[in-house]
């Protein structure tokens, strides 16, 4: 129990009655109704959000830089160096580097690679490739995570359409987020749109809470059923990052490096990712 005039548990310095008392009342009612509700530790404080936004500023600028420089003839190792040099020179830390043994600063996934492609001086971008560049930045122990697709040179209409529809899936997923809605609403919206366009949705990987750590609760699946899953509450920060395949959703992971995921049928895959903050009125996109 916390007194109405006590400092709020979120660390804002405000009195509880002027801060999160109403939030807690709503959560308690939902809990009594049998809903899955977020705990206090999933709610970001004003201080947390300040630092997540600083991390996002660097992360967004890194992906902007990649967009300016990326071209046929560049190696994925060149991309990794761009990301490392820019991030570290602007006061950030590349979160991927050393994460559970990952050897590089960014993930670069080309064509039929779904995610977690490892940059290499042996991998040279060529005309017609599509590539996902997935970047996460740490500032003051806070994380921001996003990825973008890039089309190299003259890309086929089929590849271009996949990239565009995947971006639309992300936007539709974001539109499904509403305060006091449900995580399942996001996956349901993405799944319906992808299937309507003749694509499959990868189910082995999903979005996630982020901010105070690289990966937090909740899992944000890109398939789902409306009005199910954890309640979405103001103050939550998480990623939406649909991975959409031309063919089957089935995949396999490279046995040699233990990281890179490929489509089982060899067809193309695409992904876009944003980090979002849930507000009282909707969402704020932090990293894109």
């Amino acid at each position: 129990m916390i007194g109405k005039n006590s400092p709020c548990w979120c660390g804002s310095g405000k009195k509880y009655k002027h801060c999160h008392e109403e939030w807690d009342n709503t959560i308690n009612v939902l809990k009594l109704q049998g809903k899955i509700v977020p705990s206090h530790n999933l709610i970001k404080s004003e201080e947390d959000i300040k630092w997540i936004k600083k991390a996002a500023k660097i992360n967004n600028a890194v992906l902007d830089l990649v967009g300016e420089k990326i071209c046929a003839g560049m190696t994925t190792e060149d991309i990794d160096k761009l990301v490392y040099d820019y991030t570290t020179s602007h006061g950030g830390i590349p979160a991927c580097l050393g994460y559970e043994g990952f050897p590089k600063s960014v993930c670069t996934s080309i064509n039929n690679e779904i995610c977690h492609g490892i940059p290499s001086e042996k991998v040279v971008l060529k005309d017609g490739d599509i590539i996902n560049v997935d970047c996460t930045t740490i500032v003051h122990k806070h994380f921001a995570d996003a990825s973008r697709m890039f089309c190299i040179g003259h890309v086929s209409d089929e590849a271009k359409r996949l990239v565009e529809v995947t971006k639309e899936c992300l936007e539709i997923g974001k539109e499904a987020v509403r305060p006091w809605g449900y995580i399942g609403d996001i996956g349901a919206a993405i799944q319906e749109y992808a299937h309507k366009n003749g694509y499959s949705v990868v189910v082995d990987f999903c979005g996630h809470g982020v901010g105070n750590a690289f990966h937090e609760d909740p899992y944000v699946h890109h398939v789902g059923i409306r009005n199910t899953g954890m309640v979405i509450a103001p103050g939550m920060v998480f990623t939406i990052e649909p991975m959409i395949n031309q063919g089957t959703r089935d995949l396999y992971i490279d046995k040699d490096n233990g990281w890179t995921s490929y489509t089982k049928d060899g067809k193309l895959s695409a992904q876009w990712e944003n980090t979002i903050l849930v507000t009282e009125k909707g969402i704020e996109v932090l990293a894109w």
Side-chain angles (χ1 to χ4, degrees), residues 57-249:
K57 183 176 180 180
I58 295 173
N59 208 74
N60 295 337
V62 166
L63 288 171
D64 287 345
L65 179 63
V66 171
E68 292 169 10
K69 301 292 187 181
I70 199 166
C71 62
M74 173 182 277
T75 68
T76 52
E77 179 69 23
D78 293 332
I79 297 172
D80 187 74
K81 188 174 188 306
L82 274 179
V83 169
Y84 179 84
D85 289 348
Y86 186 94
T87 302
T88 55
S89 67
H90 287 77
I93 300 170
C96 289
L97 187 58
Y99 176 75
E100 294 188 357
F102 192 81
K104 297 292 181 177
S105 299
V106 66
C107 297
T108 52
S109 305
I110 302 173
N111 297 332
N112 65 322
E113 296 175 350
I114 296 172
C115 60
H116 303 154
I118 299 176
S120 169
E121 61 185 11
K122 296 178 181 179
V123 178
V124 181
L125 297 179
K126 61 183 185 298
D127 189 72
D129 283 341
I130 60 172
I131 179 173
N132 178 266
V133 179
D134 189 349
C135 187
T136 306
T137 300
I138 309 170
V139 173
H140 199 263
K141 299 182 180 180
H142 288 75
F143 297 70
D145 187 5
S147 79
R148 300 181 195 173
M149 293 297 300
F150 299 99
C151 295
I152 308 301
H154 300 88
V155 173
S156 70
D157 290 341
E158 293 81 6
K160 191 178 297 183
R161 180 173 178 270
L162 174 66
V163 170
E164 290 171 352
V165 170
T166 304
K167 179 68 179 300
E168 290 162 3
C169 283
L170 170 62
E171 296 304 319
I172 285 166
K174 290 190 295 185
E175 289 170 6
V177 178
R178 68 188 196 286
W180 310 115
Y182 299 88
I183 290 291
D185 299 343
I186 302 168
I190 291 170
Q191 179 180 9
E192 288 168 9
Y193 191 77
H195 288 179
K196 186 176 81 170
N197 281 276
Y199 298 126
S200 64
V201 183
V202 173
V203 298
D204 297 77
F205 301 103
C206 61
H208 52 89
V210 69
N212 294 344
F214 199 160
H215 297 95
E216 305 174 23
D217 288 335
Y219 292 118
V220 182
H221 295 282
H222 304 116
V223 299
I225 300 171
R226 284 182 172 78
N227 300 317
T228 66
M230 183 180 285
V231 170
I232 299 171
M236 294 173 72
V237 176
F238 54 80
T239 71
I240 304 175
E241 46 183 297
M243 302 170 205
I244 308 299
N245 291 354
Q246 265 187 335
T248 176
R249 71 186 189 185

